[in-house]
Amino acid sequence: MFDGLLRHPSRVVLVLPVLVAAGLGACSSDADTAGPANSNKEDAAPALDDATSPDSGAACVSTRDFFARQVWPILSAKCTSCHAPGETASTGDNGAHPAAGFTLAWDSYPDFLDRNLAGLSRMVTEEIRGVPKLLVKPIGGDTHGGGALFGKDAPEYAVLKDLAARISNQVPDCPASGGSPLDAVPLLDWKSTFRKAAINLGGRLPKPEEASMADEAAFDKALTALMTEPTFFDRVKEMWNDALLTDGGDRVQTSVFQFDAVEFPFAKGGQMGRDAFCAGSADVPACIRDFDKRWSAIGRALLAEPLELIANVVRKNAPFTEVLSAPYGMANPYLAQLYGVESQFPAPSDTNVEQWQEVQIVRAKAGPFAHAGVLSTPSFLGRWVSTPTNRERARSRMTQKVFLATDILKLAQRSLDTSSLTGVANAPRNSPACTVCHSVLDPVANSFSNFSDSSSFDQDLKITAATNPHQEMLPPGLGVTMMPGAETKMLSWLGTAMGADTRFPLSVTRVAYQGIVGRPVLAYPSYGDAATFGDRFDAWNAQDHAVQGFASAFVAGKLDFKALVRAIVKSPFFRAASVPPTVPAALSAELGAGHLLTPEQLDRKIRAVTSAVYTPGGWGVGQPRPHRLLGDVRTLYGGIDSFSVTARATAASAVITSIAARTADEVACQVTAWDFTRPAAERTLFPAVELTTVPGAGDADIRKNIGLLLDRAWGGAHGPADPDVELVYGIFQGTHDELAKASPAPPFEYNCQGRWDRTKDQVYSCGTQGQPDYVAQCYTFDATLPAPAQIGEDKQFTIASWMAVLSFVFSDYQFLYE
Amino acid sequence: MSHLSRRRLLQAGGLGVLSLALPWTRGARAGGAYAGPLVMTVHAGGGWDPTLFCDAKAPTADIQQRLYTTPTQVGAISAAPIDLLDYQTGVKLDNVPAFFAALGSRFLILNGVDTQTNNHDTGTKHVWSGKTSEELPSLAALAAAQGAASYPLPLAYMSTGGYEATANVVQLTHVPGQSTAKQFLLPHTVNPDEVVANQRSYFSADTLARISAAQAARLDAVAKKAGSKREADAVAAFNGSHQRMAALGALAQQLPAKPVTAAVAFPALGSGYRSGELDGYLQSAELALHAFKSGLAVSASLGLGGFDTHMTHDRNHTRQLGMLCLTLRYLLTAADALGVADRLYVVVGSDFGRTPTYNVDNGKDHWNVTSMMLAGPGIRGGRVLGATDDKLRPLRVSKDDPSQVKGYDDATATRILPAHVQRALRKKVGIDAALAAPFGLPVDMPLDDMLA
């Protein structure tokens, strides 16, 4: 099924001299007034590299690289205008189009090189009077619809002839002979790699037993264990929400009104509203509280379901295709009520909301629901709703973007004049101007036709592929494969078909790569800047080979997502310690450290380093402790809200750095005095000093503590003579001296005093426990410490001095980046 | 500004050596706040309908129009004679002819702009960058890059939506509502919502200076050890952001105590009128204008939503147009009051236009022909360039005199393309040729002087 991923040679990149052959394919700069009438002049193809056949005397390259460097520029300039999917000379993707020819995928398609090379291979093996079609059609032979594109004496023809010779084995291939620039990249040792992985994937620091990791086997063992920890699954959910964008809060249409109360009787209560629902209750306030809590929890569970399903598949080490084909949904005790499967769960409570399990929905009248993994979850359907004019196309677009690495919106980058289509009936299906997208878009869209053109969760299994309500669209299916007409569980069919598509592992790899490395996989370089195209192409090519390798490891690992994570984490893209100058600059920009932690990762790192959650203040009774960085500053710190902001920031802005500064100050305020309220052996930040340890007599202990603090927060080993220790000591000493000389002494900010346990909750008295006003008016805060344990003064000015130190440490590049 | 810090700034701005050649750098060497051109782009997200606004069309065999039969001429502008109601409240937000009577003289209207697509992403990209195939930086990004090359602008390019591609020429800052803005404008203040007199800092000025000096020393050391271009870029960006962050406090002092609301800005709506959506647009505009006034920002992208009206088009679209009109009214009025109008370019556009006929849901679908509105110093307002015919097709304009409308298929003339508009804007705003060179916008028949 995935042979295509495994077959091509890897890591062949050569830096070759440039031959601008007689104007052919020359990379022209954007001349101001060139180009066809009434259109932007799109990029010309880049300059061709020197001839690189094995017998040319030049360095040897594989057929794939020869194709990428020399053939593709010709094809993209001369052939794709007619042979791209949906264009006039292509077969189209519905299989029903009568036109002859072959299809050339744009470079925005995943694995376009291999796909196109395979297509050309067929054009070589198929001959006309003993000559490969590849060498007949472009010169106008065999009634080529596009006529003669060039003559036999043209450089383009020579290149195609060379390719034909390679494909037909007249010229030996040179697979994988040159090595990859990635081979020369020095890597972090396994211990440092694991610290990075532990923070990135586990939200924690290495454990003592992991600190002495010496070899790959130990790393593998530790990574395996790390990938069973709860935070790892939180990370999995985060990286998949970055792609699916389903955790979008109230704007995702998953309200109770999306559920038919006949099929989901529990929804009827929610649809009544709390006042009507509780009107006859003996205890109306209690009923309202219960109502609000239940439906709020159900709403959160609905949003979480697709991500929990993905985490479930990963947790089971099941083939990741189950994400699309799973014959089940997911529910927790609250959501189980709405789905009518509460008998399989304990009674819902605050303590079991994270108790998720697979469920099969059985509707009251229509019977069993046909699940198709995440595709059939209310959250996915409610995030990407259908309308009478959209007709499931938003669902199709996201499905293919996330799981088939096919961005429909990238397919429509050429000129289109809809104002000229007024005479074309059903243009999306019949006009080449539209079919370029719709031939890809519509079969998948139509595969959602068991659901109506609305946001309702209303699967109708009486509809078949043949009787679908969108007869004006291409029939349900995937690409050129049509769904059997009698199929009723269309999404299940689609999910299975997508899982078998070679693009699926590549697509999953892209999502995982971006989630772990923090940058998207490179797109095929545009030709815009001729001077840098070679460098950018080399970078893309090296990374493309690597990504194909990750996907191959994923496939070889039986599509276990953890195998994919392991391959990426062990690659230079995660482990590069430095990058030699021989590596293309565009590739160096993708390697090594420099990943700005996401707000979620920074939040977890703060907790790991300080042992306290960074909390904004009071929160509701019975609610989980809020995380400051996941609240209103999440998007300010470069995070996403899954609706308005859907792409993460990858570099610090003034605002991000300012938020980091505020975070550092507030965390320092929250944890400094508190840490000193604990016995030295229990402290996480100040185990080597006391409040009475001051500059001068206490220098050694202060420096020792600074070293331990930097080890913990920044990683590495910091001895007393380390320049960073000296730098931090200067902050401590300078601040201490300043405060000691101040008259009067500056006040000790109340909220920074050591009066509270930052890890324990306490509901403060502002109502009567058991009465309605208790929940309605009370808030939870950090628990107050017993009076003798409290620190309300800073007589030695050491707390303020350590606060300044922490503010510096927590706002440092080494803390904010990994 | 020392040579070293200036170098850091250039690295952080992503322009590198390119910026050294820019004429704008001379002003920075002489000191002073940024005083160059300002750019505000206003994106009507989803694809607006110019026939309900600035390209009113009487119904024809090919154009359906249910809200009016005869356009109203306001000067050169063919305005749709309609009230813009907020159907959710019944409140009249604006009236199209009244809007153009008030502000039409400031705007150059471009009708019949051919976006060459009916795809949202491609259309947005095309309108705001001038190209469909690549995500080139918008005018806003280029202007911000030009300013940031010479001045420490912490919010050089702000955005609340719309087209945001920068091609890494400048860093974009997503700007929140004002309610949380002070959290980052005053990072060391314990409670920035308190009145200024009561505000306290976590650390004294001396301590903050000590920390800042240590941070600078650390960043120098980290930069020297950077093991890859990625890390070097990250350190440079972090370094630059540190320097730009220092200026944020000025904006905090500049902002009014209470953010603007629609009810306050437009008393005619009634004191009871509440719209979080409209308030959000106005407050984003207010924040951007104050950032301009403070010398912290060059450009802002303001995104309005709700124009993709495939259903109940007339009802839904007029509400969004009402919000757009009020946002533009506030924007220009406040810019005048703050004294930045004489440097401010305002560009209004959308993904594309909408079909001339209604679909079965009383909606209008995607249509590649649209309009744009431009205002700013040196742009002669009160004019209309380009036109559509009675099939809502784009008519061409003379390459020598774009005010002359030609036939639909007159090969001697050209359709107005977004590339024409962006080229002309780049020229008018004064984007340096070296900065724009990698992002060329070749066209067959340039209309580079059409704004004058």
Side-chain angles (χ1 to χ4, degrees), chain A residues 283-353:
Chain A
D283 185 349
V284 171
C287 176
I288 288 176
R289 284 199 306 276
D290 183 61
F291 181 98
D292 288 348
K293 184 174 184 177
R294 178 189 306 124
W295 286 103
S296 175
I298 289 173
R300 288 195 298 273
L302 282 166
L303 288 176
E305 184 187 1
L307 303 176
E308 291 293 343
L309 191 149
I310 291 171
N312 178 62
V313 171
V314 176
R315 191 177 287 111
K316 293 193 305 182
N317 303 324
F320 203 71
T321 46
E322 192 168 303
V323 163
L324 298 177
S325 61
Y328 58 82
M330 297 293 291
N332 67 4
Y334 280 100
L335 184 53
Q337 296 176 313
L338 177 61
Y339 284 168
V341 293
E342 63 271 27
S343 64
Q344 302 169 32
F345 288 78
S349 72
D350 291 340
T351 59
N352 62 20
V353 290

Side-chain angles (χ1 to χ4, degrees), chain A residues 31 38 40 42 409 413 416-419 517 526 579 588 591 628 652 657-658 662 665 735 738 749 811-812, chain B residues 116 121 130 132-134 171 183-184 186 188-189 200 204 207 215 218 227-230 241 368 396 442:
Chain A
N38 292 319
N40 290 344
E42 297 298 341
L409 297 178
Q413 294 174 336
L416 167 66
D417 184 5
T418 47
S419 66
V517 177
S526 68
V579 179
S588 182
L591 292 167
R628 177 80 164 100
T657 301
S658 188
R662 167 165 292 282
D665 285 1
T735 305
E738 174 197 336
E749 182 70 33
S811 59
D812 185 80
Chain B
Q116 301 181 316
D121 284 16
T132 57
S133 61
E134 288 183 80
Q171 196 153 37
Q183 296 289 319
F184 70 79
L186 296 169
H188 300 294
T189 301
R200 305 176 310 284
S204 70
T207 299
Q215 287 171 331
R218 267 283 296 168
S228 67
K229 185 174 185 301
R230 181 183 187 188
S241 71
N368 62 300
R396 298 181 183 229

Side-chain angles (χ1 to χ4, degrees), chain A residues 262-575:
Chain A
V262 173
E263 300 289 6
F264 299 94
F266 194 80
K268 187 175 182 181
Q271 292 171 358
M272 290 171 68
R274 65 182 190 179
D275 292 338
F277 183 82
C278 295
S281 171
D283 185 349
V284 171
C287 176
I288 288 176
R289 284 199 306 276
D290 183 61
F291 181 98
D292 288 348
K293 184 174 184 177
R294 178 189 306 124
W295 286 103
S296 175
I298 289 173
R300 288 195 298 273
L302 282 166
L303 288 176
E305 184 187 1
L307 303 176
E308 291 293 343
L309 191 149
I310 291 171
N312 178 62
V313 171
V314 176
R315 191 177 287 111
K316 293 193 305 182
N317 303 324
F320 203 71
T321 46
E322 192 168 303
V323 163
L324 298 177
S325 61
Y328 58 82
M330 297 293 291
N332 67 4
Y334 280 100
L335 184 53
Q337 296 176 313
L338 177 61
Y339 284 168
V341 293
E342 63 271 27
S343 64
Q344 302 169 32
F345 288 78
S349 72
D350 291 340
T351 59
N352 62 20
V353 290
E354 296 303 323
Q355 185 178 323
W356 290 84
Q357 65 188 56
E358 300 172 7
V359 295
Q360 166 66 60
I361 296 175
V362 179
R363 294 162 295 178
K365 299 289 185 186
F369 182 85
H371 293 274
V374 299
L375 301 181
S376 60
T377 58
S379 180
F380 181 82
L381 298 168
R383 176 64 178 86
W384 306 104
V385 297
S386 187
T387 69
T389 48
N390 161 292
R391 296 179 184 172
E392 318 280 1
R393 287 174 177 132
R395 292 166 178 172
S396 171
R397 180 172 71 82
M398 283 308 294
T399 297
Q400 298 193 68
K401 181 179 181 182
V402 175
F403 296 110
L404 295 179
T406 300
D407 190 347
I408 304 290
L409 297 178
K410 299 287 186 193
L411 307 182
Q413 294 174 336
R414 57 27 179 314
S415 300
L416 167 66
D417 184 5
T418 47
S419 66
S420 68
L421 300 179
T422 51
V424 179
N426 193 7
R429 184 162 174 170
N430 297 323
S431 168
C434 300
T435 56
V436 60
C437 291
H438 285 275
S439 63
V440 180
L441 187 64
D442 285 3
V444 172
N446 226 341
S447 299
F448 281 85
S449 291
N450 287 127
F451 294 92
S452 70
D453 288 332
S454 72
S455 55
S456 296
F457 187 60
D458 56 353
Q459 189 182 60
D460 181 355
L461 294 176
K462 293 190 293 293
I463 296 173
T464 70
T467 65
N468 79 80
H470 302 130
Q471 295 293 320
E472 77 288 358
M473 293 166 59
L474 291 171
L478 176 63
V480 297
T481 306
M482 287 175 59
M483 193 181 295
E487 181 63 57
T488 58
K489 297 175 181 177
M490 288 189 261
L491 267 189
S492 303
W493 183 97
L494 177 70
T496 301
M498 288 173 59
D501 193 295
T502 55
R503 293 172 292 176
F504 176 75
L506 274 174
S507 196
V508 174
T509 298
R510 289 186 183 190
V511 173
Y513 179 93
Q514 182 162 357
I516 296 168
V517 177
R519 294 172 68 88
V521 169
L522 292 171
Y524 187 80
S526 68
Y527 302 138
D529 181 1
T532 62
F533 177 77
D535 185 273
R536 289 181 290 125
F537 174 82
D538 289 340
W540 174 84
N541 197 34
Q543 191 193 64
D544 185 54
H545 280 306
V547 168
Q548 300 271 356
F550 301 150
S552 296
F554 181 37
V555 173
K558 298 181 180 177
L559 296 171
D560 180 349
F561 190 73
K562 293 175 183 174
L564 176 57
V565 172
R566 188 183 302 276
I568 295 170
V569 165
K570 293 172 78 170
S571 78
F573 293 96
F574 190 80
R575 292 185 65 199

Side-chain angles (χ1 to χ4, degrees), chain B residues 277-295:
Chain B
E277 181 182 358
L278 181 55
D279 288 351
Y281 299 146
L282 299 182
Q283 289 167 18
S284 294
E286 180 180 54
L287 187 62
L289 290 171
H290 281 283
F292 293 159
K293 174 72 174 176
S294 303

